[in-house]
Amino acid sequence: RSRQGLNEKDHIQNNMPSAIQEEMSHLDLRSQPVDYCLALRNAIKAVERLADQNEVEICLNFPDEPVEIATDPAMTQVFLVNLFSNTIKQANAGEICINLLTRQGKTSYTIKFTPKPGLSFSTSSYENLRLMASRLGLRFSVDDQPEGQRIILVSIGEGCPIALVIDDNEAFHDLLRRYLTNQTCMVEVARTSQDGLRLARQLSPDVIFLDIMMPDMDGWELLQRLKSNPFSKYIPVVICSVVPDAELAYSLGASFCLSKPVKREDVLKSLHDVGVL
């Protein structure tokens, strides 16, 4: 093969992670409760034929009851299928064991297998999976054992932090999504106060960004409702408004009060100070 052909291939391979990262940064992830046991089974079903071709048998060890995680279902499925496909292609003929564990409110799963002879661990071979895991707020690690087995550990117990934006301005939704790109924080939006109350109960977000000038219920009333309900009273609320009133905001239980147009550094500081990032 020509040197030019090799260089072009190297260039494509070297730029794959950044290209995938760029693609993922534009994804509009939407968090909702996902039964992770079912998601794992569906992903395994998608790679069954590949497993048969590689003489690999997949062994599952899951809890009897559903394990619900707040995450983006479509992106989760893409990640799992890619993870299992990658593992099957690296595994020696035999068994791949997948164990899903839930303990003290934290969930993780391990994938244990024996790599093909001569196939040493390569960080680059897992780079795309790491990028996808990071976008979903997962902790991803690979460890080669002395006895020749490889263990992939994915921790999802803490889940991906969710920021709920209650604002009827779509431009503000897009702004916060840009600010939080690569911060492993999913942005969910509500365009009305009533939808905001519903999603706050349904998603239990880690933080709420709240506008004051809303069409159906002003932000001050909504803030009082959020802080008076057991399901949402401990969720940090960041007021974002063109008419900010910090003294009133703090008296009603808000954690921060930012003036629009909000700055990226102020948004990130608020998230760091409330422990989301």
PDB file of all heavy atoms in Angstrom, residues 162 200-201 203-208 222-238 252-256 270-271 273-276:
ATOM      1  N   ILE A 162     -28.478  15.739  36.260  1.00  0.00           N
ATOM      2  CA  ILE A 162     -29.529  16.280  35.406  1.00  0.00           C
ATOM      3  C   ILE A 162     -29.801  17.720  35.802  1.00  0.00           C
ATOM      4  O   ILE A 162     -30.047  18.020  36.971  1.00  0.00           O
ATOM      5  CB  ILE A 162     -30.827  15.463  35.529  1.00  0.00           C
ATOM      6  CG1 ILE A 162     -30.589  14.009  35.120  1.00  0.00           C
ATOM      7  CG2 ILE A 162     -31.931  16.079  34.681  1.00  0.00           C
ATOM      8  CD1 ILE A 162     -31.783  13.104  35.374  1.00  0.00           C
ATOM      9  N   ALA A 200     -39.826  17.942  37.662  1.00  0.00           N
ATOM     10  CA  ALA A 200     -39.071  17.954  38.912  1.00  0.00           C
ATOM     11  C   ALA A 200     -39.421  16.728  39.748  1.00  0.00           C
ATOM     12  O   ALA A 200     -38.546  16.109  40.373  1.00  0.00           O
ATOM     13  CB  ALA A 200     -39.367  19.224  39.695  1.00  0.00           C
ATOM     14  N   ARG A 201     -40.693  16.339  39.731  1.00  0.00           N
ATOM     15  CA  ARG A 201     -41.116  15.150  40.472  1.00  0.00           C
ATOM     16  C   ARG A 201     -40.647  13.873  39.756  1.00  0.00           C
ATOM     17  O   ARG A 201     -40.186  12.920  40.390  1.00  0.00           O
ATOM     18  CB  ARG A 201     -42.641  15.129  40.626  1.00  0.00           C
ATOM     19  CG  ARG A 201     -43.164  13.909  41.374  1.00  0.00           C
ATOM     20  CD  ARG A 201     -44.691  13.869  41.340  1.00  0.00           C
ATOM     21  NE  ARG A 201     -45.292  14.962  42.052  1.00  0.00           N
ATOM     22  CZ  ARG A 201     -45.553  14.950  43.371  1.00  0.00           C
ATOM     23  NH1 ARG A 201     -45.229  13.877  44.090  1.00  0.00           N
ATOM     24  NH2 ARG A 201     -46.115  15.978  43.960  1.00  0.00           N
ATOM     25  N   LEU A 203     -38.160  13.395  37.390  1.00  0.00           N
ATOM     26  CA  LEU A 203     -36.740  13.186  37.139  1.00  0.00           C
ATOM     27  C   LEU A 203     -35.857  13.349  38.370  1.00  0.00           C
ATOM     28  O   LEU A 203     -34.722  12.875  38.374  1.00  0.00           O
ATOM     29  CB  LEU A 203     -36.248  14.155  36.056  1.00  0.00           C
ATOM     30  CG  LEU A 203     -36.911  14.047  34.682  1.00  0.00           C
ATOM     31  CD1 LEU A 203     -36.397  15.145  33.769  1.00  0.00           C
ATOM     32  CD2 LEU A 203     -36.660  12.680  34.068  1.00  0.00           C
ATOM     33  N   SER A 204     -36.358  14.043  39.407  1.00  0.00           N
ATOM     34  CA  SER A 204     -35.525  14.376  40.566  1.00  0.00           C
ATOM     35  C   SER A 204     -34.192  14.958  40.110  1.00  0.00           C
ATOM     36  O   SER A 204     -33.116  14.394  40.385  1.00  0.00           O
ATOM     37  CB  SER A 204     -35.293  13.148  41.445  1.00  0.00           C
ATOM     38  OG  SER A 204     -36.498  12.690  41.987  1.00  0.00           O
ATOM     39  N   PRO A 205     -34.213  16.082  39.400  1.00  0.00           N
ATOM     40  CA  PRO A 205     -32.968  16.633  38.849  1.00  0.00           C
ATOM     41  C   PRO A 205     -32.005  17.056  39.947  1.00  0.00           C
ATOM     42  O   PRO A 205     -32.406  17.264  41.099  1.00  0.00           O
ATOM     43  CB  PRO A 205     -33.452  17.841  38.041  1.00  0.00           C
ATOM     44  CG  PRO A 205     -34.732  18.244  38.699  1.00  0.00           C
ATOM     45  CD  PRO A 205     -35.369  16.967  39.138  1.00  0.00           C
ATOM     46  N   ASP A 206     -30.738  17.196  39.578  1.00  0.00           N
ATOM     47  CA  ASP A 206     -29.722  17.611  40.537  1.00  0.00           C
ATOM     48  C   ASP A 206     -29.718  19.117  40.741  1.00  0.00           C
ATOM     49  O   ASP A 206     -29.239  19.601  41.774  1.00  0.00           O
ATOM     50  CB  ASP A 206     -28.344  17.151  40.051  1.00  0.00           C
ATOM     51  CG  ASP A 206     -28.260  15.639  39.973  1.00  0.00           C
ATOM     52  OD1 ASP A 206     -27.923  15.018  40.986  1.00  0.00           O
ATOM     53  OD2 ASP A 206     -28.566  15.080  38.900  1.00  0.00           O
ATOM     54  N   VAL A 207     -30.247  19.855  39.778  1.00  0.00           N
ATOM     55  CA  VAL A 207     -30.332  21.308  39.886  1.00  0.00           C
ATOM     56  C   VAL A 207     -31.429  21.800  38.945  1.00  0.00           C
ATOM     57  O   VAL A 207     -31.723  21.165  37.928  1.00  0.00           O
ATOM     58  CB  VAL A 207     -28.974  21.978  39.535  1.00  0.00           C
ATOM     59  CG1 VAL A 207     -28.610  21.731  38.065  1.00  0.00           C
ATOM     60  CG2 VAL A 207     -28.971  23.456  39.866  1.00  0.00           C
ATOM     61  N   ILE A 208     -32.046  22.927  39.302  1.00  0.00           N
ATOM     62  CA  ILE A 208     -33.078  23.533  38.469  1.00  0.00           C
ATOM     63  C   ILE A 208     -32.673  24.965  38.141  1.00  0.00           C
ATOM     64  O   ILE A 208     -32.319  25.742  39.034  1.00  0.00           O
ATOM     65  CB  ILE A 208     -34.447  23.546  39.186  1.00  0.00           C
ATOM     66  CG1 ILE A 208     -34.953  22.114  39.392  1.00  0.00           C
ATOM     67  CG2 ILE A 208     -35.482  24.355  38.392  1.00  0.00           C
ATOM     68  CD1 ILE A 208     -36.227  22.023  40.226  1.00  0.00           C
ATOM     69  N   LEU A 222     -43.596  29.497  41.490  1.00  0.00           N
ATOM     70  CA  LEU A 222     -43.094  28.150  41.233  1.00  0.00           C
ATOM     71  C   LEU A 222     -41.988  27.796  42.224  1.00  0.00           C
ATOM     72  O   LEU A 222     -41.932  26.661  42.735  1.00  0.00           O
ATOM     73  CB  LEU A 222     -42.571  28.046  39.798  1.00  0.00           C
ATOM     74  CG  LEU A 222     -41.970  26.703  39.381  1.00  0.00           C
ATOM     75  CD1 LEU A 222     -42.939  25.558  39.633  1.00  0.00           C
ATOM     76  CD2 LEU A 222     -41.566  26.732  37.917  1.00  0.00           C
ATOM     77  N   LEU A 223     -41.103  28.747  42.524  1.00  0.00           N
ATOM     78  CA  LEU A 223     -40.034  28.498  43.485  1.00  0.00           C
ATOM     79  C   LEU A 223     -40.614  28.123  44.850  1.00  0.00           C
ATOM     80  O   LEU A 223     -40.142  27.182  45.502  1.00  0.00           O
ATOM     81  CB  LEU A 223     -39.138  29.740  43.609  1.00  0.00           C
ATOM     82  CG  LEU A 223     -38.010  29.664  44.647  1.00  0.00           C
ATOM     83  CD1 LEU A 223     -37.062  28.499  44.358  1.00  0.00           C
ATOM     84  CD2 LEU A 223     -37.235  30.983  44.688  1.00  0.00           C
ATOM     85  N   GLN A 224     -41.656  28.832  45.262  1.00  0.00           N
ATOM     86  CA  GLN A 224     -42.298  28.524  46.548  1.00  0.00           C
ATOM     87  C   GLN A 224     -42.913  27.129  46.539  1.00  0.00           C
ATOM     88  O   GLN A 224     -42.832  26.387  47.526  1.00  0.00           O
ATOM     89  CB  GLN A 224     -43.367  29.570  46.861  1.00  0.00           C
ATOM     90  CG  GLN A 224     -42.786  30.958  47.133  1.00  0.00           C
ATOM     91  CD  GLN A 224     -43.867  31.994  47.343  1.00  0.00           C
ATOM     92  OE1 GLN A 224     -44.514  32.026  48.398  1.00  0.00           O
ATOM     93  NE2 GLN A 224     -44.092  32.852  46.344  1.00  0.00           N
ATOM     94  N   ARG A 225     -43.517  26.745  45.415  1.00  0.00           N
ATOM     95  CA  ARG A 225     -44.111  25.410  45.319  1.00  0.00           C
ATOM     96  C   ARG A 225     -43.035  24.324  45.362  1.00  0.00           C
ATOM     97  O   ARG A 225     -43.219  23.282  45.999  1.00  0.00           O
ATOM     98  CB  ARG A 225     -44.927  25.288  44.033  1.00  0.00           C
ATOM     99  CG  ARG A 225     -46.184  26.128  44.016  1.00  0.00           C
ATOM    100  CD  ARG A 225     -47.133  25.624  42.948  1.00  0.00           C
ATOM    101  NE  ARG A 225     -48.318  26.461  42.822  1.00  0.00           N
ATOM    102  CZ  ARG A 225     -49.374  26.164  42.081  1.00  0.00           C
ATOM    103  NH1 ARG A 225     -49.374  25.032  41.371  1.00  0.00           N
ATOM    104  NH2 ARG A 225     -50.411  26.949  42.004  1.00  0.00           N
ATOM    105  N   LEU A 226     -41.933  24.580  44.663  1.00  0.00           N
ATOM    106  CA  LEU A 226     -40.842  23.603  44.669  1.00  0.00           C
ATOM    107  C   LEU A 226     -40.282  23.409  46.071  1.00  0.00           C
ATOM    108  O   LEU A 226     -39.982  22.285  46.485  1.00  0.00           O
ATOM    109  CB  LEU A 226     -39.724  24.055  43.722  1.00  0.00           C
ATOM    110  CG  LEU A 226     -40.017  23.989  42.219  1.00  0.00           C
ATOM    111  CD1 LEU A 226     -38.939  24.727  41.432  1.00  0.00           C
ATOM    112  CD2 LEU A 226     -40.119  22.547  41.743  1.00  0.00           C
ATOM    113  N   LYS A 227     -40.155  24.504  46.810  1.00  0.00           N
ATOM    114  CA  LYS A 227     -39.544  24.433  48.131  1.00  0.00           C
ATOM    115  C   LYS A 227     -40.522  23.972  49.216  1.00  0.00           C
ATOM    116  O   LYS A 227     -40.091  23.631  50.320  1.00  0.00           O
ATOM    117  CB  LYS A 227     -38.951  25.802  48.513  1.00  0.00           C
ATOM    118  CG  LYS A 227     -37.728  26.178  47.677  1.00  0.00           C
ATOM    119  CD  LYS A 227     -36.627  25.128  47.805  1.00  0.00           C
ATOM    120  CE  LYS A 227     -35.416  25.419  46.945  1.00  0.00           C
ATOM    121  NZ  LYS A 227     -34.376  24.376  47.060  1.00  0.00           N
ATOM    122  N   SER A 228     -41.798  23.954  48.895  1.00  0.00           N
ATOM    123  CA  SER A 228     -42.784  23.507  49.883  1.00  0.00           C
ATOM    124  C   SER A 228     -43.164  22.043  49.707  1.00  0.00           C
ATOM    125  O   SER A 228     -43.933  21.502  50.509  1.00  0.00           O
ATOM    126  CB  SER A 228     -44.044  24.386  49.814  1.00  0.00           C
ATOM    127  OG  SER A 228     -44.680  24.235  48.546  1.00  0.00           O
ATOM    128  N   ASN A 229     -42.669  21.412  48.639  1.00  0.00           N
ATOM    129  CA  ASN A 229     -42.982  20.008  48.375  1.00  0.00           C
ATOM    130  C   ASN A 229     -41.810  19.117  48.770  1.00  0.00           C
ATOM    131  O   ASN A 229     -40.661  19.405  48.415  1.00  0.00           O
ATOM    132  CB  ASN A 229     -43.289  19.798  46.884  1.00  0.00           C
ATOM    133  CG  ASN A 229     -44.705  20.222  46.540  1.00  0.00           C
ATOM    134  OD1 ASN A 229     -45.648  19.477  46.764  1.00  0.00           O
ATOM    135  ND2 ASN A 229     -44.842  21.423  45.994  1.00  0.00           N
ATOM    136  N   PRO A 230     -42.085  18.018  49.493  1.00  0.00           N
ATOM    137  CA  PRO A 230     -41.007  17.127  49.949  1.00  0.00           C
ATOM    138  C   PRO A 230     -40.164  16.570  48.790  1.00  0.00           C
ATOM    139  O   PRO A 230     -38.961  16.370  48.952  1.00  0.00           O
ATOM    140  CB  PRO A 230     -41.753  15.995  50.663  1.00  0.00           C
ATOM    141  CG  PRO A 230     -43.071  16.588  51.057  1.00  0.00           C
ATOM    142  CD  PRO A 230     -43.401  17.577  49.971  1.00  0.00           C
ATOM    143  N   PHE A 231     -40.797  16.340  47.622  1.00  0.00           N
ATOM    144  CA  PHE A 231     -40.062  15.718  46.521  1.00  0.00           C
ATOM    145  C   PHE A 231     -39.054  16.660  45.879  1.00  0.00           C
ATOM    146  O   PHE A 231     -38.148  16.218  45.169  1.00  0.00           O
ATOM    147  CB  PHE A 231     -41.033  15.190  45.452  1.00  0.00           C
ATOM    148  CG  PHE A 231     -41.705  16.265  44.643  1.00  0.00           C
ATOM    149  CD1 PHE A 231     -41.130  16.772  43.501  1.00  0.00           C
ATOM    150  CD2 PHE A 231     -42.939  16.772  45.034  1.00  0.00           C
ATOM    151  CE1 PHE A 231     -41.747  17.762  42.761  1.00  0.00           C
ATOM    152  CE2 PHE A 231     -43.564  17.766  44.293  1.00  0.00           C
ATOM    153  CZ  PHE A 231     -42.972  18.259  43.161  1.00  0.00           C
ATOM    154  N   SER A 232     -39.200  17.973  46.107  1.00  0.00           N
ATOM    155  CA  SER A 232     -38.314  18.914  45.419  1.00  0.00           C
ATOM    156  C   SER A 232     -37.671  19.949  46.342  1.00  0.00           C
ATOM    157  O   SER A 232     -36.878  20.763  45.864  1.00  0.00           O
ATOM    158  CB  SER A 232     -39.088  19.651  44.323  1.00  0.00           C
ATOM    159  OG  SER A 232     -40.209  20.343  44.868  1.00  0.00           O
ATOM    160  N   LYS A 233     -37.967  19.911  47.619  1.00  0.00           N
ATOM    161  CA  LYS A 233     -37.511  20.988  48.502  1.00  0.00           C
ATOM    162  C   LYS A 233     -35.992  21.062  48.627  1.00  0.00           C
ATOM    163  O   LYS A 233     -35.434  22.125  48.900  1.00  0.00           O
ATOM    164  CB  LYS A 233     -38.151  20.846  49.888  1.00  0.00           C
ATOM    165  CG  LYS A 233     -37.744  19.614  50.644  1.00  0.00           C
ATOM    166  CD  LYS A 233     -38.511  19.486  51.970  1.00  0.00           C
ATOM    167  CE  LYS A 233     -38.240  20.660  52.876  1.00  0.00           C
ATOM    168  NZ  LYS A 233     -38.911  20.505  54.181  1.00  0.00           N
ATOM    169  N   TYR A 234     -35.302  19.934  48.424  1.00  0.00           N
ATOM    170  CA  TYR A 234     -33.846  19.935  48.580  1.00  0.00           C
ATOM    171  C   TYR A 234     -33.102  20.087  47.252  1.00  0.00           C
ATOM    172  O   TYR A 234     -31.870  20.059  47.231  1.00  0.00           O
ATOM    173  CB  TYR A 234     -33.403  18.648  49.276  1.00  0.00           C
ATOM    174  CG  TYR A 234     -33.942  18.518  50.680  1.00  0.00           C
ATOM    175  CD1 TYR A 234     -34.898  17.556  50.983  1.00  0.00           C
ATOM    176  CD2 TYR A 234     -33.524  19.385  51.694  1.00  0.00           C
ATOM    177  CE1 TYR A 234     -35.412  17.444  52.268  1.00  0.00           C
ATOM    178  CE2 TYR A 234     -34.037  19.282  52.977  1.00  0.00           C
ATOM    179  CZ  TYR A 234     -34.986  18.307  53.261  1.00  0.00           C
ATOM    180  OH  TYR A 234     -35.492  18.202  54.533  1.00  0.00           O
ATOM    181  N   ILE A 235     -33.828  20.242  46.149  1.00  0.00           N
ATOM    182  CA  ILE A 235     -33.168  20.434  44.855  1.00  0.00           C
ATOM    183  C   ILE A 235     -32.681  21.880  44.750  1.00  0.00           C
ATOM    184  O   ILE A 235     -33.478  22.813  44.890  1.00  0.00           O
ATOM    185  CB  ILE A 235     -34.135  20.133  43.690  1.00  0.00           C
ATOM    186  CG1 ILE A 235     -34.629  18.686  43.762  1.00  0.00           C
ATOM    187  CG2 ILE A 235     -33.445  20.389  42.345  1.00  0.00           C
ATOM    188  CD1 ILE A 235     -35.701  18.359  42.728  1.00  0.00           C
ATOM    189  N   PRO A 236     -31.389  22.114  44.503  1.00  0.00           N
ATOM    190  CA  PRO A 236     -30.898  23.491  44.358  1.00  0.00           C
ATOM    191  C   PRO A 236     -31.565  24.185  43.163  1.00  0.00           C
ATOM    192  O   PRO A 236     -31.727  23.590  42.103  1.00  0.00           O
ATOM    193  CB  PRO A 236     -29.393  23.316  44.110  1.00  0.00           C
ATOM    194  CG  PRO A 236     -29.077  21.937  44.598  1.00  0.00           C
ATOM    195  CD  PRO A 236     -30.302  21.122  44.375  1.00  0.00           C
ATOM    196  N   VAL A 237     -31.956  25.433  43.376  1.00  0.00           N
ATOM    197  CA  VAL A 237     -32.602  26.219  42.323  1.00  0.00           C
ATOM    198  C   VAL A 237     -31.750  27.442  42.023  1.00  0.00           C
ATOM    199  O   VAL A 237     -31.367  28.181  42.935  1.00  0.00           O
ATOM    200  CB  VAL A 237     -34.022  26.654  42.720  1.00  0.00           C
ATOM    201  CG1 VAL A 237     -34.635  27.538  41.632  1.00  0.00           C
ATOM    202  CG2 VAL A 237     -34.910  25.433  42.977  1.00  0.00           C
ATOM    203  N   VAL A 238     -31.452  27.643  40.740  1.00  0.00           N
ATOM    204  CA  VAL A 238     -30.694  28.810  40.290  1.00  0.00           C
ATOM    205  C   VAL A 238     -31.650  29.699  39.500  1.00  0.00           C
ATOM    206  O   VAL A 238     -32.144  29.305  38.443  1.00  0.00           O
ATOM    207  CB  VAL A 238     -29.498  28.401  39.405  1.00  0.00           C
ATOM    208  CG1 VAL A 238     -28.734  29.643  38.935  1.00  0.00           C
ATOM    209  CG2 VAL A 238     -28.578  27.451  40.158  1.00  0.00           C
ATOM    210  N   LEU A 252     -36.591  32.947  49.483  1.00  0.00           N
ATOM    211  CA  LEU A 252     -37.532  31.898  49.097  1.00  0.00           C
ATOM    212  C   LEU A 252     -36.857  30.542  48.917  1.00  0.00           C
ATOM    213  O   LEU A 252     -37.521  29.566  48.559  1.00  0.00           O
ATOM    214  CB  LEU A 252     -38.255  32.296  47.800  1.00  0.00           C
ATOM    215  CG  LEU A 252     -39.178  33.515  47.900  1.00  0.00           C
ATOM    216  CD1 LEU A 252     -39.756  33.858  46.526  1.00  0.00           C
ATOM    217  CD2 LEU A 252     -40.314  33.246  48.891  1.00  0.00           C
ATOM    218  N   GLY A 253     -35.539  30.499  49.140  1.00  0.00           N
ATOM    219  CA  GLY A 253     -34.859  29.211  49.113  1.00  0.00           C
ATOM    220  C   GLY A 253     -33.980  28.945  47.912  1.00  0.00           C
ATOM    221  O   GLY A 253     -33.433  27.832  47.783  1.00  0.00           O
ATOM    222  N   ALA A 254     -33.815  29.919  47.005  1.00  0.00           N
ATOM    223  CA  ALA A 254     -32.939  29.715  45.849  1.00  0.00           C
ATOM    224  C   ALA A 254     -31.483  29.634  46.301  1.00  0.00           C
ATOM    225  O   ALA A 254     -31.096  30.232  47.315  1.00  0.00           O
ATOM    226  CB  ALA A 254     -33.117  30.838  44.840  1.00  0.00           C
ATOM    227  N   SER A 255     -30.679  28.902  45.549  1.00  0.00           N
ATOM    228  CA  SER A 255     -29.256  28.765  45.869  1.00  0.00           C
ATOM    229  C   SER A 255     -28.415  29.843  45.203  1.00  0.00           C
ATOM    230  O   SER A 255     -27.399  30.270  45.748  1.00  0.00           O
ATOM    231  CB  SER A 255     -28.750  27.383  45.430  1.00  0.00           C
ATOM    232  OG  SER A 255     -29.424  26.348  46.106  1.00  0.00           O
ATOM    233  N   PHE A 256     -28.847  30.279  44.000  1.00  0.00           N
ATOM    234  CA  PHE A 256     -28.142  31.325  43.261  1.00  0.00           C
ATOM    235  C   PHE A 256     -29.155  32.175  42.521  1.00  0.00           C
ATOM    236  O   PHE A 256     -30.272  31.727  42.226  1.00  0.00           O
ATOM    237  CB  PHE A 256     -27.149  30.729  42.251  1.00  0.00           C
ATOM    238  CG  PHE A 256     -25.851  30.288  42.859  1.00  0.00           C
ATOM    239  CD1 PHE A 256     -25.702  28.994  43.324  1.00  0.00           C
ATOM    240  CD2 PHE A 256     -24.787  31.168  42.984  1.00  0.00           C
ATOM    241  CE1 PHE A 256     -24.525  28.574  43.893  1.00  0.00           C
ATOM    242  CE2 PHE A 256     -23.596  30.757  43.545  1.00  0.00           C
ATOM    243  CZ  PHE A 256     -23.459  29.462  44.008  1.00  0.00           C
ATOM    244  N   SER A 270     -22.012  28.084  39.712  1.00  0.00           N
ATOM    245  CA  SER A 270     -23.199  27.717  40.486  1.00  0.00           C
ATOM    246  C   SER A 270     -23.309  26.210  40.612  1.00  0.00           C
ATOM    247  O   SER A 270     -23.660  25.680  41.684  1.00  0.00           O
ATOM    248  CB  SER A 270     -24.459  28.320  39.856  1.00  0.00           C
ATOM    249  OG  SER A 270     -24.780  27.681  38.627  1.00  0.00           O
ATOM    250  N   LEU A 271     -23.001  25.474  39.530  1.00  0.00           N
ATOM    251  CA  LEU A 271     -23.081  24.026  39.570  1.00  0.00           C
ATOM    252  C   LEU A 271     -22.004  23.419  40.461  1.00  0.00           C
ATOM    253  O   LEU A 271     -22.250  22.445  41.181  1.00  0.00           O
ATOM    254  CB  LEU A 271     -22.968  23.447  38.152  1.00  0.00           C
ATOM    255  CG  LEU A 271     -24.134  23.769  37.209  1.00  0.00           C
ATOM    256  CD1 LEU A 271     -23.868  23.194  35.824  1.00  0.00           C
ATOM    257  CD2 LEU A 271     -25.439  23.236  37.756  1.00  0.00           C
ATOM    258  N   ASP A 273     -20.669  24.952  43.057  1.00  0.00           N
ATOM    259  CA  ASP A 273     -20.951  25.321  44.453  1.00  0.00           C
ATOM    260  C   ASP A 273     -22.079  24.487  45.058  1.00  0.00           C
ATOM    261  O   ASP A 273     -22.103  24.292  46.278  1.00  0.00           O
ATOM    262  CB  ASP A 273     -21.301  26.806  44.550  1.00  0.00           C
ATOM    263  CG  ASP A 273     -20.075  27.700  44.367  1.00  0.00           C
ATOM    264  OD1 ASP A 273     -18.959  27.158  44.242  1.00  0.00           O
ATOM    265  OD2 ASP A 273     -20.226  28.926  44.343  1.00  0.00           O
ATOM    266  N   VAL A 274     -23.002  24.004  44.242  1.00  0.00           N
ATOM    267  CA  VAL A 274     -24.079  23.156  44.774  1.00  0.00           C
ATOM    268  C   VAL A 274     -23.726  21.680  44.679  1.00  0.00           C
ATOM    269  O   VAL A 274     -24.531  20.819  45.048  1.00  0.00           O
ATOM    270  CB  VAL A 274     -25.424  23.422  44.070  1.00  0.00           C
ATOM    271  CG1 VAL A 274     -25.846  24.858  44.243  1.00  0.00           C
ATOM    272  CG2 VAL A 274     -25.381  23.043  42.585  1.00  0.00           C
ATOM    273  N   GLY A 275     -22.497  21.372  44.194  1.00  0.00           N
ATOM    274  CA  GLY A 275     -22.022  19.993  44.195  1.00  0.00           C
ATOM    275  C   GLY A 275     -22.460  19.150  43.019  1.00  0.00           C
ATOM    276  O   GLY A 275     -22.323  17.919  43.054  1.00  0.00           O
ATOM    277  N   VAL A 276     -22.945  19.775  41.939  1.00  0.00           N
ATOM    278  CA  VAL A 276     -23.376  19.015  40.769  1.00  0.00           C
ATOM    279  C   VAL A 276     -22.179  18.644  39.907  1.00  0.00           C
ATOM    280  O   VAL A 276     -22.110  17.532  39.348  1.00  0.00           O
ATOM    281  CB  VAL A 276     -24.416  19.792  39.946  1.00  0.00           C
ATOM    282  CG1 VAL A 276     -24.735  19.090  38.642  1.00  0.00           C
ATOM    283  CG2 VAL A 276     -25.690  19.972  40.762  1.00  0.00           C
TER     284      VAL A 276
END
